[in-house]
Amino acid sequence: MPISQKTELDDIAIDRIIEMAWEDRTPFDAIKFQFGLAEANVKALMKKELKFSSYKLWRKRVENCKTKHLAKRVDGIDRFKCKLQRAISNNKISKR
């Protein structure tokens, strides 16, 4: 779904998506599960919301980051978020 046709994402949701996209341990599948945005849509959102230089740095990190894609992950990593994110509010993923 293109960014122009996205379901109404408010500023809080956009901030949370950006935060999850910056987090190395949070895969794109977690963002899709929580917000319904595929990897391409997250990239488009990041390009729209960040400064171009910040976007380029993020893209470079994402391309080299094995934990952002579930298929590239090591078998020992089986959660969407790091244990330090418990204090973050608006997280709809169960803590089980």
Side-chain angles (χ1 to χ4, degrees):
M1 116 179 101
I3 292 296
S4 60
Q5 296 176 358
K6 67 182 187 258
T7 55
E8 295 296 316
L9 292 175
D10 58 0
D11 291 337
I12 294 171
I14 291 171
D15 287 345
R16 182 69 181 125
I17 292 167
I18 291 170
E19 184 176 1
M20 290 174 78
W22 271 107
E23 171 64 43
D24 288 338
R25 288 182 174 255
T26 306
F28 288 112
D29 292 334
I31 298 171
K32 184 173 184 171
F33 174 78
Q34 190 168 350
F35 295 98
L37 293 178
E39 181 178 345
N41 299 115
V42 173
K43 289 176 183 176
L45 178 75
M46 295 292 278
K47 189 172 188 176
K48 179 182 168 232
E49 296 291 327
L50 299 177
K51 294 187 301 185
F52 185 68
S53 60
S54 298
Y55 172 75
K56 280 178 29 179
L57 287 172
W58 175 76
R59 285 289 291 136
K60 187 175 180 180
R61 275 186 48 217
V62 167
E63 288 174 10
N64 296 321
C65 186
K66 291 180 179 12
T67 57
K68 289 302 278 186
H69 302 89
L70 289 180
K72 295 181 182 178
R73 277 186 161 204
V74 180
D75 290 335
I77 302 174
D78 59 353
R79 61 180 189 259
F80 283 159
K81 59 189 177 75
C82 79
K83 60 185 173 186
L84 301 176
Q85 286 183 319
R86 289 184 186 179
I88 296 174
S89 60
N90 299 324
N91 193 347
K92 297 176 187 174
I93 298 173
S94 173
K95 294 193 169 128
R96 290 184 263 160

